[in-house]
Amino acid sequence: MLTDRQKGSWKPAELDLSDSAVELKGVLKRIIYTNPENGYSVCLLDLSHNGGQITITGILPSVQCGETLVVRGKWQEHDKFGRQFCCESFEAKLPADVHGIRQYLSSGLIHGIGKEYANKIVEFFGADTFNVLNGAYARLMDVPGIGKKRARMIKSAWDEQQAIRNTMIFLQAYGITNAQCLRLYQYYGEKTKDVISQNPYVIVKTIEGIGFKSADKIALNLGLTTDSEFRIDAGLEYILSESEGDGNTGARKNVLIEQTTELLGVASELIKTRLDKLLQEGVLSEYPASQLIQRKRMAIHEACIAKHIHRLFTSASKLPSIQIDQALIWSENKLKIHWSEGQKNALRSVFQSKLSILTGGPGTGKTTLLKAIVGVLSAKRVRLCLAAPTGRAAQRMGEATGLMARTVHRTLKYEPSIGRFTYDEENKLPTDFLILDESSMMDVALMHALLKAIPDHAHVLLVGDIYQLPSVGAGNVLNDFIQSPYFRVEYLSDIFRQAQCSSIVSTAHSILEGKQKLETPVIAPYGAIQLEDDFHFIGIDSADQCVPYLQRLCWKLLPQWYHVDPIRAVQILAPMHRGVVGIEQINNVFQNYAGESRRFLEVGAQKFFVGDKVIQLKNNYEKNIFNGDLGIIQDVDEEEQQMIVNFNDEEHMLERRDALDLKLAYAISIHKSQGSEFPIVVIPLFTQHFVMLKRNLLYTAVTRGRKKVFIVGDPRAYSIAVRTLDSTIRQTTLNDRLQHGFKEIKENTAFSQN
């Protein structure tokens, strides 16, 4: 029973800050903040018409404005935000009054009902609105402007939302977020609750973002025993997936058993027994040479990569005869340059080899060599295929060579209706020579897909910078290829005259050499900037002062100095997601600075405004947009719950569910910037980022700037990053498989390199 105070007859100054638990009831007026990963939220709750609004905090997954909440918890005094109610548990009920119903329907939760139609429906049916939606939806056609088609769409969306709501009520106690619940329902439909009740661990395999710990919490609450086969299997899978998340393609057998035992808290003998069973059944695979345990798909990827490299290397070439010395002279005249001896050797190597790798840092001539290679091969009428892992990298490649370059996904032509690439082992790419730029980004899954589509006679040239961050996905493909005897590898080290004038290039190379002292002076935040310089370090001691300065720098100073659009030309690259200078904080501040008076689409707790810069977080083959693609929201239709986003100069219509895979991108991670270049790069760098301060991370960030780089932060953080080598060695089987395959060639044939 609610007390008078809890019912709202109290004044804010009378709040009881004792440790006693209380229960409050009110209408959710506003969601101020929600963490999509764990459902932690900060909301405004209206306790009554005369009792005022209070701030509530806690794990509040799936709540919507307009709902009546019964919250249980304690009052607390926050140092910065004052009095708040810390919610320990809650119940949500559909709103009962007209105002709450209108607010609930206006939230965009029901497809087909935006603010305009919400007002019309509520004005027409009043407090009876939900009864109409539940049992008499045909009456919706009595509302002016609603025909049969929209009435059916609203009814269908309402029924689906009610089913989703029931699923959320079932799952909310286990910390499953709103977005994850939606994905679960999209995958399992009305069977969601039954599937999860039978074996909660299946959701780890099927729904991205739901991990073992969430599934384990559900399983144990549902009564599964701690030593059940379901749990042990899921634990082994979890440790392997964590290892893959670190870039490995498997885990050592002894390490896998040890970590799974620690995770589950059961006897190691049970783990060993179950592991042996999964190996016998072929669910997992063991590579004997290294005792590396792999998930089946990882073992297939690496085995098949080795198989296709062997196939390409041992198959005859069909390239027309190239007089290399004449080609060198011809390309010098065409490009108006003079080749160095290192560049000549690199060109000879590429034209003479079926498989070759061209690597080197900035300013070492990779792009110039690429132009020459493409020019010579085009003159010989060789069918060329130019590809790169990202849209921006493909665009740069096309601009440099004058030929069409595509992303790997677009090159292979993914067909959503059949769930696979059009070009594959049975249907090869129509090419004689494939050139892959930014190849350091390729993980084993994507490299497998590409290699199996390359015809036997074709040559392959991989271009990349081995000093950058390795691929985000599992594998160490480029480095494994470099160590294998199949590829001819050319390392470019000479920095050419034009590049020697660039402080970006010289700084990048000094980072690689481990030089901790900056080559350029540290400038005070409002000191004089030499605008003609391309590298600047702006010193700020306090991380708290950084975001306001970034705001001024990016929105005012850079556009004023260089006459650029801050959305399109400037990209902030931050080392970490969390913290006062983390990606999330920067994006929130920048979005607010851009103005909240714009039209927006609300997806969960995230609002996407017209003009916002966004990044795609996973491949969407149906829409032809891919993980890492950057876009700008061009328009929003609040009624239809759609938005138009421009990715790589192509407009895409996204539904509300598609927007679940978007995040703001005023700032992005350095890992997400791989394969891209931006006119102006801004890098916040502080000692608070110490976990991520590594030499290759800083090098990658600096080399993303095409014209200007601004580091804003603490010079001590720069020094830490430069001197800290990433000592992590990725565990894979690919190098060993390649060495083994090449050994067989030497033993079984009279060997000579192609």
Side-chain angles (χ1 to χ4, degrees):
M1 181 70 69
L2 299 180
T3 66
D4 290 339
R5 174 178 292 181
Q6 293 159 357
K7 289 176 181 176
S9 60
W10 50 273
K11 301 301 180 186
E14 300 174 358
L15 294 182
D16 179 8
L17 297 178
S18 69
D19 290 334
S20 58
V22 294
E23 182 180 277
L24 304 175
K25 182 179 180 181
V27 176
L28 184 62
K29 303 299 291 184
R30 182 184 171 202
I31 300 173
I32 300 171
Y33 167 80
T34 289
N35 182 332
E37 293 182 3
N38 59 17
Y40 177 83
S41 304
V42 180
C43 308
L44 287 182
L45 190 70
D46 190 351
L47 297 184
S48 75
H49 295 297
N50 61 2
Q53 296 180 356
I54 64 167
T55 301
I56 62 172
T57 66
I59 305 299
L60 301 164
S62 77
V63 295
Q64 295 293 332
C65 291
E67 289 182 316
T68 296
L69 298 185
V70 177
V71 294
R72 302 171 191 87
K74 299 176 183 177
W75 291 103
Q76 64 178 12
E77 182 73 31
H78 192 281
D79 292 341
K80 185 175 181 181
F81 300 111
R83 292 171 175 174
Q84 298 178 334
F85 186 80
C86 182
C87 175
E88 297 171 354
S89 63
F90 77 99
E91 294 176 15
K93 301 177 181 179
L94 287 174
D97 64 358
V98 169
H99 176 73
I101 294 170
R102 179 182 287 110
Q103 192 171 9
Y104 183 80
L105 293 182
S106 298
S107 68
L109 196 66
I110 311 302
H111 183 61
I113 303 181
K115 290 183 179 178
E116 180 183 347
Y117 282 105
N119 286 329
K120 287 182 178 181
I121 292 170
V122 175
E123 284 175 10
F124 201 92
F125 297 113
D128 200 36
T129 297
F130 288 156
N131 291 330
V132 171
L133 291 171
N134 280 323
Y137 86 95
R139 292 179 59 195
L140 289 171
M141 290 183 285
D142 295 338
V143 179
I146 296 183
K148 183 183 293 186
K149 181 178 179 181
R150 182 171 291 275
R152 285 177 177 169
M153 178 172 59
I154 291 172
K155 174 59 175 172
S156 175
W158 174 259
D159 288 344
E160 182 181 26
Q161 185 56 37
Q162 294 307 99
I164 293 171
R165 184 180 179 81
N166 291 335
T167 301
M168 287 179 173
I169 291 171
F170 169 65
L171 292 173
Q172 68 180 1
Y174 308 114
I176 305 299
T177 68
N178 189 11
Q180 291 168 344
C181 284
L182 289 174
R183 287 200 171 109
L184 278 168
Y185 187 83
Q186 287 169 359
Y187 194 91
Y188 293 114
E190 296 178 358
K191 299 178 180 177
T192 303
K193 186 175 179 180
D194 293 337
V195 169
I196 294 172
S197 297
Q198 183 178 0
N199 178 11
Y201 298 105
V202 299
I203 65 177
V204 179
K205 296 181 181 180
T206 52
I207 308 298
E208 185 178 348
I210 299 181
F212 169 81
K213 292 180 180 178
S214 296
D216 199 38
K217 186 176 180 181
I218 298 171
L220 295 178
N221 276 281
L222 289 174
L224 268 72
T225 60
T226 57
D227 60 353
S228 72
E229 291 184 356
F230 287 145
R231 187 167 187 259
I232 294 174
D233 291 357
L236 288 164
E237 285 261 354
Y238 172 73
I239 297 299
L240 286 171
S241 69
E242 289 288 287
S243 184
E244 290 171 14
D246 292 333
N248 307 301
T249 61
R252 303 281 182 204
K253 188 172 186 178
N254 60 329
V255 173
L256 176 60
I257 293 171
E258 180 183 328
Q259 292 183 351
T260 307
T261 301
E262 183 179 349
L263 172 72
L264 302 181
V266 300
S268 61
E269 288 304 318
L270 290 174
I271 307 295
K272 291 177 185 176
T273 300
R274 193 62 199 155
L275 175 57
D276 289 340
K277 183 69 173 174
L278 293 175
L279 290 170
Q280 290 172 13
E281 293 173 350
V283 175
L284 301 180
S285 174
E286 181 177 11
Y287 190 71
S290 58
Q291 282 202 316
L292 205 68
I293 304 296
Q294 298 179 293
R295 294 202 281 186
K296 187 175 181 179
R297 61 184 180 85
M298 279 294 158
I300 290 173
H301 288 324
E302 291 197 311
C304 288
I305 287 173
K307 179 186 76 172
H308 290 298
I309 290 296
H310 184 95
R311 169 180 63 85
L312 291 168
F313 184 85
T314 55
S315 300
S317 168
K318 292 184 181 178
L319 279 190
S321 176
I322 297 174
Q323 300 299 318
I324 294 178
D325 289 338
Q326 293 180 17
L328 292 174
I329 296 170
W330 179 84
S331 58
E332 281 183 327
N333 293 333
K334 186 175 178 63
L335 298 175
K336 296 180 173 55
I337 58 171
H338 181 71
W339 297 122
S340 69
E341 283 305 311
Q343 289 175 314
K344 288 179 181 178
N345 290 335
L347 287 168
R348 289 190 182 99
S349 178
V350 169
F351 290 134
Q352 291 174 343
S353 307
K354 278 293 294 296
L355 305 173
S356 53
I357 293 173
L358 201 57
T359 186
T364 55
K366 293 194 302 293
T367 301
T368 304
L369 284 169
L370 202 56
K371 289 180 184 177
I373 292 164
V374 168
V376 170
L377 293 174
S378 296
K380 286 288 187 177
R381 300 183 182 239
V382 172
R383 292 180 303 169
L384 284 163
C385 179
L386 275 57
T390 69
R392 285 180 175 266
Q395 185 178 6
R396 286 201 335 269
M397 193 182 188
E399 291 169 354
T401 61
L403 293 182
M404 174 66 75
R406 297 182 175 87
T407 64
V408 175
H409 289 90
R410 290 182 177 178
T411 297
L412 297 175
K413 293 185 179 179
Y414 188 86
E415 179 52 59
S417 62
I418 59 176
R420 58 182 174 82
F421 291 113
T422 300
Y423 290 109
D424 57 15
E425 223 159 354
E426 303 300 322
N427 182 32
K428 304 289 189 186
L429 286 163
T431 186
D432 304 313
F433 204 113
L434 182 135
I435 303 176
L436 177 68
D437 200 7
E438 296 289 352
S439 54
S440 63
M441 295 182 64
M442 295 289 284
D443 59 27
V444 291
L446 194 55
M447 184 59 82
H448 175 202
L450 179 62
L451 287 174
K452 70 182 181 182
I454 300 174
D456 293 355
H457 68 273
H459 289 233
V460 175
L461 167 62
L462 306 180
V463 183
D465 185 345
I466 58 171
Y467 304 112
Q468 288 186 31
L469 292 167
S471 61
V472 175
N476 199 19
V477 178
L478 182 60
N479 276 283
D480 285 343
F481 282 172
I482 286 173
Q483 293 176 40
S484 84
Y486 284 106
F487 286 83
R488 283 209 183 165
V489 183
E490 292 297 330
Y491 297 88
L492 303 174
S493 56
D494 294 334
I495 303 175
F496 293 92
R497 186 177 302 169
Q498 185 177 355
Q500 288 173 352
C501 301
S502 167
S503 293
I504 294 176
V505 171
S506 61
T507 300
H509 284 275
S510 72
I511 290 170
L512 290 181
E513 293 164 10
K515 296 179 180 177
Q516 298 176 39
K517 186 176 179 180
L518 282 160
E519 297 183 353
T520 56
V522 177
I523 306 166
Y526 300 99
I529 298 285
Q530 298 296 320
L531 297 181
E532 65 276 11
D533 292 348
D534 63 359
F535 180 86
H536 306 272
F537 197 112
I538 298 171
I540 295 182
D541 294 331
S542 170
D544 292 329
Q545 299 171 10
C546 182
V547 176
Y549 180 77
L550 290 177
Q551 193 173 300
R552 173 177 161 80
L553 176 68
C554 296
W555 290 108
K556 183 178 179 181
L557 298 179
L558 293 177
Q560 177 183 309
W561 293 338
Y562 302 114
H563 309 290
V564 295
D565 177 355
I567 299 291
R568 297 179 183 276
V570 181
Q571 184 60 59
I572 299 174
L573 305 180
M576 295 180 70
H577 286 272
R578 306 281 176 84
V580 292
V581 282
I583 293 166
E584 293 176 5
Q585 174 67 6
I586 295 170
N587 279 327
N588 289 335
V589 170
F590 270 57
Q591 186 186 51
N592 292 337
Y593 185 86
E596 289 196 351
S597 60
R598 304 166 288 161
R599 295 189 311 283
F600 66 88
L601 182 66
E602 190 166 5
V603 182
Q606 179 66 66
K607 291 181 179 178
F608 293 105
F609 290 86
V610 172
D612 273 345
K613 190 174 189 176
V614 294
I615 186 168
Q616 180 75 11
L617 298 179
K618 60 184 294 190
N619 295 333
N620 185 330
Y621 295 107
E622 291 185 5
K623 300 290 183 179
N624 208 23
I625 49 179
F626 302 99
N627 186 4
D629 282 353
L630 290 169
I632 297 174
I633 298 175
Q634 305 285 71
D635 197 11
V636 164
D637 187 328
E638 296 179 30
E639 289 297 324
E640 297 296 331
Q641 294 288 287
Q642 297 171 330
M643 65 169 78
I644 297 175
V645 185
N646 186 307
F647 289 101
N648 300 317
D649 297 324
E650 292 182 4
E651 290 190 347
H652 298 263
M653 176 69 78
L654 302 186
E655 305 293 336
R656 189 169 180 273
R657 64 177 179 274
D658 299 319
L660 291 169
D661 298 324
L662 294 180
K663 284 193 79 170
L664 294 176
Y666 297 101
I668 63 174
S669 70
I670 297 169
H671 283 86
K672 285 289 187 185
S673 75
Q674 286 178 267
S676 298
E677 280 187 353
F678 309 95
I680 302 175
V681 162
V682 178
I683 308 164
L685 202 67
F686 288 88
T687 54
Q688 285 92 331
H689 298 136
F690 71 94
V691 175
M692 298 297 293
L693 293 180
K694 304 286 175 63
R695 185 182 297 180
N696 58 353
L697 189 87
L698 179 60
Y699 171 80
T700 300
V702 168
T703 54
R704 298 309 89 204
R706 188 162 66 244
K707 295 181 179 179
K708 306 287 179 181
V709 171
F710 287 79
I711 297 182
V712 179
D714 188 341
R716 292 175 300 172
Y718 179 91
S719 178
I720 292 170
V722 170
R723 70 171 181 259
T724 306
L725 289 170
D726 189 348
S727 59
T728 305
I729 298 175
R730 292 191 167 190
Q731 295 180 333
T732 79
T733 68
L734 180 56
N735 182 42
D736 193 78
R737 292 178 194 270
L738 291 167
Q739 299 287 354
H740 181 75
F742 195 81
K743 183 179 178 182
E744 287 184 347
I745 296 176
K746 294 178 71 174
E747 290 175 350
N748 299 330
T749 64
F751 168 73
S752 64
Q753 173 131 9
N754 292 0

